[in-house]
Amino acid sequence: FGAFSFRGASKRTRPGPSTSPESLRHPLGQKASSSNKMLALIDNLQYGAFRVGTLMVALTTVAFYGMYWGISPSGELYSVFKTPLEEGALDTADERDKYDALSNKAVEAFDMGVIGFPIILSLCLIGNFFMLGFPIKLRSDGLFQIQWRLFRFGVIMLQFATTFHLVSTAVLLSAWIAGSFYANGPEATRLAFLQSGVLTMMETIGAQLTIVYAFLYGPAYLLLEYYHREECSGGYCVSWTLGVTWPLVGLFGLIINFLHSVLNNDVALIVTGSLYTVLYLTAIICQTIFAFNYEVPANYYMSKDSPEEQLEAAGAADAAKRGFGAKLLAGQGGAQVSTSPFYATYPYPAGAGTAGYSYEMVAQQPPAARSVPTQAQGGTTTAAAV
């Protein structure tokens, strides 16, 4: 099995005002300071990051769609791009009047949107950052490496999905911030900005990123639902709803791309776009419900920050890679025997830890007639199989 080692507790803690396990829960001890308060704030924020993030994203998404339908119910904001401006296209008075009326509506919608959309998208971006903190939190758990492989795969997919979601929001926000530079200009300048295609280009990029993260979100939530070792659940129906609606959002996004580029059929675009919007809002709302159901038990089953549990988590993860389990033992002796929940017990002599803790090694399939000596050297207990 080769050689492996576990560090003593003194290697993983910093000096504090007390050496008790309770005082070692925080690397700076119990001393009150501004840095302690900041770290406590960060800890509290990460505890509810998924719930806060999904709720902010859901509220801002509903607000975004509501505002868009309010200021541009018939798509006036973007219809100005479809007006033909080739030579001779506006020769008649009726065509010029129609174009002027459409342009005025587009500028009015832009004037209202440039006030509200940057605020809504900024709040949505903050929510995306909180959502991104959830898979990062799961991956930082000391017990993450002994979770089921498909659970780890789901967490990584969720991290990629939330990253693409964040970038998509940032792209849309950039478009409207660019538009705000023209907000106080004359009407002709604002109309020229709309006709430049900046908003269309940036929102098209955001739509393509939405297709990517939609195909990632669905499988990610199903894997988180079914492959957590402690059976954390966001809700069976909610999980399957997410597993179906998010991929459908991506599929309808691809269909809209096809309709735009090939058919250019307005009726088909309206029908497909309406279904896309309903599916997207359903997925966003169900995602929030999933977060409120899932994050609390997920936090409960994460390894805590006490020195005992840090050592045990690190030891179990390291030993699992070599076919061993590790169980932290209290006290200085090696006579205690304990069991591991994931491995068959096969005790080896445990070395003395430097802070009153030591490890018991357990092998999954112990070979017959083999002896494995251990040797304590300073703060390190080393076991080598012969």
Side-chain angles (χ1 to χ4, degrees), residues 301-323:
Y301 288 114
M302 288 180 66
S303 61
K304 306 302 184 293
D305 289 335
S306 66
E308 312 96 288
E309 289 162 318
Q310 282 184 352
L311 286 170
E312 183 172 3
D318 190 32
K321 298 177 182 178
R322 298 166 172 81

Side-chain angles (χ1 to χ4, degrees), residues 220-228 232-236 239 290 294:
Y221 285 123
L222 283 176
L223 293 175
L224 262 63
E225 171 72 18
Y226 279 94
Y227 288 99
H228 193 285
C232 291
S233 176
Y236 180 82
S239 303
F290 181 92
Y294 194 90

Side-chain angles (χ1 to χ4, degrees), residues 107-321:
V107 172
E108 290 174 2
F110 173 78
D111 291 342
M112 290 183 284
V114 81
I115 297 173
F117 285 146
I119 297 173
I120 293 173
L121 291 171
S122 295
L123 294 174
C124 186
L125 188 66
I126 296 173
N128 290 141
F129 274 110
F130 274 103
M131 286 185 63
L132 180 58
F134 180 65
I136 293 176
K137 175 175 67 176
L138 292 179
R139 295 188 68 180
S140 68
D141 182 16
L143 300 177
F144 180 72
Q145 291 300 326
I146 62 172
Q147 288 283 359
W148 300 113
R149 179 182 62 83
L150 287 176
F151 175 82
R152 301 197 303 270
F153 185 59
V155 171
I156 294 171
M157 288 184 70
L158 182 62
Q159 185 172 348
F160 274 103
T162 51
T163 301
F164 282 115
H165 198 168
L166 186 151
V167 175
S168 174
T169 305
V171 168
L172 294 177
L173 177 60
S174 300
W176 282 100
I177 289 178
S180 67
F181 298 147
Y182 299 86
N184 296 324
E187 182 176 340
T189 303
R190 286 172 281 164
L191 180 60
F193 173 76
L194 291 175
Q195 291 173 338
S196 69
V198 173
L199 280 180
T200 301
M201 179 184 68
M202 300 296 273
E203 295 209 1
T204 301
I205 295 173
Q208 307 317 303
L209 291 172
T210 300
I211 294 173
V212 174
Y213 71 70
F215 280 120
L216 291 172
Y217 267 139
Y221 285 123
L222 283 176
L223 293 175
L224 262 63
E225 171 72 18
Y226 279 94
Y227 288 99
H228 193 285
R229 277 196 179 274
E230 303 297 338
E231 299 182 357
C232 291
S233 176
Y236 180 82
C237 293
V238 174
S239 303
W240 273 103
T241 302
L242 289 170
V244 172
T245 53
W246 273 123
L248 284 177
V249 168
L251 179 62
F252 273 93
L254 292 175
I255 293 174
I256 291 174
N257 286 344
F258 175 77
L259 293 176
H260 267 301
S261 60
V262 179
L263 296 182
N264 198 21
N265 187 309
D266 288 341
V267 176
L269 281 171
I270 291 173
V271 173
T272 308
S274 300
L275 291 174
Y276 173 90
T277 302
V278 171
L279 288 169
Y280 189 85
L281 291 175
T282 302
I284 287 290
I285 294 171
C286 289
Q287 181 174 257
T288 307
I289 299 172
F290 181 92
F292 275 80
N293 289 338
Y294 194 90
E295 189 174 27
V296 174
N299 286 335
Y300 178 81
Y301 288 114
M302 288 180 66
S303 61
K304 306 302 184 293
D305 289 335
S306 66
E308 312 96 288
E309 289 162 318
Q310 282 184 352
L311 286 170
E312 183 172 3
D318 190 32
K321 298 177 182 178

Side-chain angles (χ1 to χ4, degrees), residues 7-10 12-14 19-27 304-315 328 355 357 359:
R7 300 285 181 185
S10 62
R12 293 180 175 269
T13 58
R14 298 179 182 178
T19 57
S20 65
E22 186 64 31
S23 67
L24 293 175
R25 289 182 180 274
H26 194 284
K304 306 302 184 293
D305 289 335
S306 66
E308 312 96 288
E309 289 162 318
Q310 282 184 352
L311 286 170
E312 183 172 3
L328 191 69
Y357 302 101
Y359 279 107

